[in-house]
Each structure stands twice: as structure tokens, then as C-alpha cells.
Amino acid sequence: MEYILMFIAAVFVNNIVLAQFLGICPFLGVSQRVSTALGMAGAVTFVITLATIVTFIVQKTVLDPFQIGFMQTIAFILIIAALVQMVEIILKKVSPSLYQALGVFLPLITTNCTVLGVAIMVIQKEYNLMQSVVFAASTALGFGLALVIFAGIREQLALADIPKGMKGAPVSLITAGILAMAFMGFSGIV
């Protein structure tokens, strides 16, 4: 039951993008087409989950025992950068079309504060490894859900008759704000 509540809280109530405002850059940058958003959501889910596992192990086996916790941010950034490079190489070999669709946004996962934020949050919340994995995967799915919903809305907005001054970034930001308020409706569930 604990893991189900953690899942619901991470996906809906404390959505990493819409409630905690981490990962806004890829949220706005990759959300113009649902297909690209789905690819980005999959890549981010994989990277967040894997990065959380690796950073958790590094924290518990290297940083804590040697009392070098002050190196946490640097170590985590290096680990995340290496994992993103690995994902990029794998995508290039396995799915060249997805690699091309993601284009410049794939390297942006390296600097996506969502990945680093989740890795640090599981340490701060003192989760064990299983809780960390559930939290990371749930948070990544919440990120993906918000990204895909926003991309779908933006695809529909592209077909709508919007006043000239509202086209582009203004209507996107207003839509993101309304989506965040909609997700606030889930507060109180958990």
C-alpha cells in the first residue's frame, strides 16, 4: 500500500513539473508534438530510474562511508551525464528515427534538473533502494504524463484561431498554468 500511495503522490499530487516546477525547459521545449513528447518521456523515465539507482548506490557505498557528502552534486552530475551518453548511443543504434526526432533535446536530459532533483530527493527523504526506485519511476511517469498531456493540448492549440499576440509562448505558458491548477485538484488524495 505504501508504494501505491507513493506512486499516486509522485504522479498526480506532487507532479515534478506542475507542482515542484522542475524540468520546465524540456516541458516547454519538447511538447510541440505528442510523438516527440512520448519519446522524450520514455528516455527521461529510463534515465531517471537508472540514475536514481546508480546515484543511490554511490551515495551509500562511497559518499556516506568516506564522509564526502559535499561531493554529492558533482558526483551525481557526472553519473547522470555518463548515463545520458549511454542512452544516446543506444538510441542511435536501436532506434535512429527516435534519435533523430529527439535531436538536440536528448543531450538536454543531462542538464534536466528533474533527473538531478529526483536523485537528490531520494537521499534527502532517506528512502531505501526499493522506495527510491518506485519514487523515481513514479516521478518520471508523472513527468511523462504532464509532457504528453501538454503536447496534446499544444497540438490542438496549433489548429485553433488564437489572437496574434497570444500565439507561441504566451498561450503555452497560460496553458501550462491551467494544467498545473488542474493537477492541484489531486491534492488531498494522499
Side-chain angles (χ1 to χ4, degrees):
M1 189 65 167
E2 172 191 356
Y3 295 120
I4 293 170
L5 291 175
M6 187 181 290
F7 174 82
I8 291 169
V11 173
F12 299 109
V13 179
N14 299 320
N15 188 286
I16 198 82
V17 176
L18 301 173
Q20 298 179 24
F21 307 112
L22 292 175
I24 297 293
C25 181
F27 178 70
L28 293 173
V30 187
S31 60
Q32 293 172 347
R33 292 190 330 216
V34 173
S35 59
T36 307
L38 282 169
M40 182 66 158
V44 167
T45 300
F46 177 73
V47 170
I48 284 178
T49 306
L50 188 60
T52 300
I53 293 169
V54 174
T55 55
F56 181 88
I57 292 169
V58 167
Q59 179 75 33
K60 298 301 179 188
T61 61
V62 177
L63 300 178
D64 287 349
F66 293 108
Q67 298 178 346
I68 52 173
F70 61 90
M71 295 290 292
Q72 181 187 56
T73 304
I74 300 294
F76 285 11
I77 288 172
L78 291 174
I79 291 166
I80 291 166
L83 289 173
V84 169
Q85 287 299 318
M86 182 181 75
V87 168
E88 190 171 1
I89 291 167
I90 291 170
L91 275 181
K92 197 178 224 181
K93 299 277 185 198
V94 174
S95 180
S97 60
L98 180 57
Y99 176 76
Q100 290 295 329
L102 291 175
V104 72
F105 297 111
L106 190 58
L108 287 178
I109 295 175
T110 305
T111 59
N112 186 348
C113 57
T114 303
V115 181
L116 180 61
V118 170
I120 291 174
M121 275 188 235
V122 298
I123 302 299
Q124 288 177 341
K125 293 180 184 216
E126 297 180 1
Y127 287 153
N128 62 33
L129 184 58
M130 186 63 187
Q131 290 172 322
S132 298
V133 171
V134 170
F135 179 77
S138 301
T139 301
L141 289 174
F143 176 83
L145 177 68
L147 189 65
V148 170
I149 289 172
F150 191 56
I153 293 170
R154 285 185 73 180
E155 280 186 354
Q156 293 299 314
L157 284 174
L159 303 173
D161 186 26
I162 299 171
K164 187 177 180 180
M166 291 296 292
K167 286 188 180 191
V171 75
S172 295
L173 292 173
I174 290 170
T175 304
I178 293 170
L179 189 58
M181 288 192 304
F183 268 69
M184 283 177 58
F186 293 113
S187 62
I189 290 178
V190 177

